[in-house]
Amino acid sequence: MIDTENLSKQFGSHTAVDRLTLHIGEGEVFGFLGPNGAGKTTTVRMLTCLIGPTQGRATVMGYEVGKDSQSIRRHVGLLTETPGMYDRLSALKNLTIYAELYEVPDVPGQVEKYLRLLGLWERRQDAAGTFSKGMKQKLAIARALLHEPKILFLDEPTAGLDPEAAKLVRDFILEVKAQGRTIFLTTHNLDEADRLCDRVAVFNQRLRVIDTPQGLRQEMYGRQVVFHLADTAVPYQPTLQNLPYINRLEAIDNKLVVALDDPETHNPELIRLLVSAGANIQFVGELRHSLEDIYLRLVNES
Amino acid sequence: MKKIRTIIGKEWAEVFKNRLVLFSVIFLPLMLTILPLATIWGMSRFPASASSSVSTEEIEFFGDLCVGLTENECVMVYTLSLYTLLFMILPVMIPVTIAAYSIVGEKATRSLEPLLATPITDIELLTGKAIAAIVPAILATWLAYFVYAIGAVIMLGAELALAYVFAPVWVLAIFVVGPLMTFLSVSIAIMVSARVTDPRVAEQLSGLVVLPIILLLVGQSVGWVVVSRDMIYLIGVIVLILDVVLGFITVKSFQRETILTQWK
């Protein structure tokens, strides 16, 4: 659905996006992560034909960016970083304007559908300026979906929202995902990316890494099992030290952290060995690094 | 065409809910209608003092204008011609306020990016925004002029009013040159609006378009120039040429990328 090849954007001497190559498949929720000023919004703007690339090429639904701009605009939905509603106009009027601009066949029907879907129907006659931040964001999501685009670009969709509003937006993104639409999501909220995205890319002017959240964990930390013991863990370290399938072993207070490739196969043996060595195992669990750990490590490295 | 209609509707719905814009659209025509009528009314009520305030040189200068008129009528007709010139300021000033807000206002409220992401062409967007600014300006000018003309008929009498207020030179100025000037000021306002970040700056810069009219007004009031039919023709031709050139430049220089990436 979205393909880029060495896509680059320069503003004077500043390189905002450097040779970005990626492929995003149909129905995929793709997380685009990076610090402020990394070039995420610039990438979204290039892919939605708001600005042109300086080098490289990109296609969206088979249409080439820069050549088939009108076709791309017709088939994608964009939720910008700020809702950008017409504050003096009603919610109904706001959506009607956009439905007409997107040449939606049944304007009133489609507007009503999305106002109801997002719980704004009762307040349709109220000026958008009177809405809370969360409601404005929902209205902006409705605007992005009015023409039933196959691809949705969401630029920081939950930024600045309170937890309740953010959850509503996230739930709605999951609903949109279930409809089989492709979603390109830029976010700072790594927990959100972890929960919503099939794959994530860490980007800081150029692509640092791209994989599934689970794949990134595996790649960066391997799989790790934690044995919580009743006493200090150091005395039991030699028991496991020389086992061939252990990649790394660490004793921290009363915890033994073991990195290994196949915990399902080897955990029973490890437990047996520790118990025979006199360890009182309280519980065993898999250590799951957050996407934030991975992100921070990658961004710091870059 | 449908998208242009949508943009026009959107602009009117939005702009006329902006009190500042609404005020400038209503206030200026209202003032320019009331002021000359009040002046004429004052002159007709106190003829002696009105005539005595006009110098002999001025009466001599406007001799052609005053043929067959009494001194008092001459003063009123002279005043009318000055005020009628003011009606050429309206089609320049009113759209500037609307058009200046049209791009830079959307920039300020961040509503321009989603708008530019829709499948609307630059021509459709600019045409919609231009028409939305031009039509109210022309209608407000014509309406104000109509009310002013009726007032003049009542106060001066039909013969005098029709001869001077509805003189061909003024009909040409108000109904032909006026709309051409509106288009000019809108082109400039949209061009400026796309390059600045504050609606007030856009309005002030675009407002400079009115300067030539002010100069003309000052010139006539101090006796340097007399607005004649030839002069109006000349102004009309110059403005028409500028309309074509600036209209072309406005469309060509409207760069979505520049507008979006130069937001600060």
Side-chain angles (χ1 to χ4, degrees), chain A residues 281-299:
Chain A
I281 300 173
Q282 291 174 320
F283 51 90
V284 182
E286 186 167 4
L287 185 65
R288 187 182 151 92
H289 283 274
S290 69
L291 195 55
E292 190 172 331
D293 296 333
I294 297 163
Y295 171 84
L296 290 174
R297 192 167 145 184
L298 283 166
V299 168

Side-chain angles (χ1 to χ4, degrees), chain A residues 170-212:
Chain A
R170 270 196 298 272
D171 290 347
F172 194 73
I173 293 172
L174 286 172
E175 277 179 45
V176 174
K177 178 188 178 179
Q179 292 163 2
R181 295 182 214 253
T182 306
I183 300 174
F184 188 101
L185 171 79
T186 77
T187 181
H188 280 125
N189 188 330
L190 301 167
D191 178 50
E192 179 176 287
D194 208 357
R195 278 193 267 173
L196 296 174
C197 299
D198 299 314
R199 281 194 307 154
V200 292
V202 177
F203 182 80
N204 193 1
Q205 289 178 326
R206 57 194 178 81
L207 196 61
R208 302 293 167 185
V209 70
I210 182 168
D211 207 336
T212 60

Side-chain angles (χ1 to χ4, degrees), chain B residues 81-95:
Chain B
S81 70
L82 275 182
Y83 278 122
T84 314
L85 196 57
L86 280 176
F87 280 89
M88 291 184 78
I89 290 178
L90 285 182
V92 177
M93 284 307 289
I94 296 172

Side-chain angles (χ1 to χ4, degrees), chain B residues 138-150:
Chain B
I138 293 176
L139 290 181
T141 304
W142 288 355
L143 182 68
Y145 185 67
F146 181 69
V147 174
Y148 164 68
I150 289 176

Side-chain angles (χ1 to χ4, degrees), chain A residues 9 11 45 50-52 70 73-74 78 80 82 84 86 88-89 93 97-98 100-103 143, chain B residues 3 6 10 13-14 17-18 106 109-111 113-121 256-257 260-261:
Chain A
K9 181 70 189 177
F11 295 108
R45 284 178 173 175
L50 285 165
I51 61 175
Q70 286 298 82
R73 287 186 194 127
R74 209 165 276 131
L78 169 66
T80 48
T82 44
Y86 297 115
R88 291 188 182 90
L89 306 186
K93 182 75 180 166
I97 289 166
Y98 277 89
E100 285 173 3
L101 292 176
Y102 278 111
E103 295 168 328
R143 179 183 64 197
Chain B
K3 286 181 193 163
T6 301
K10 190 276 291 177
E14 242 233 325
K17 281 185 179 163
N18 182 334
E106 294 226 33
T109 56
R110 303 272 167 179
S111 56
E113 189 172 358
L115 180 65
L116 293 178
T118 65
I120 187 168
T121 62
R256 292 173 189 230
E257 178 163 343
L260 288 177
T261 55

Side-chain angles (χ1 to χ4, degrees), chain A residues 76-79 95 98-99 102 104 110 113-114 117-118 138-154 172-173 175-177 179 181-183:
Chain A
V76 305
L78 169 66
L79 174 72
L95 292 194
Y98 277 89
Y102 278 111
V104 168
Q110 196 71 350
K113 172 184 162 184
Y114 277 102
L117 210 60
L118 285 151
K138 285 201 281 181
L139 193 59
I141 292 175
R143 179 183 64 197
L145 286 166
L146 275 172
H147 56 299
E148 306 291 359
K150 289 233 161 59
I151 302 176
L152 197 57
F153 288 89
L154 305 175
F172 194 73
I173 293 172
E175 277 179 45
V176 174
K177 178 188 178 179
Q179 292 163 2
R181 295 182 214 253
T182 306
I183 300 174

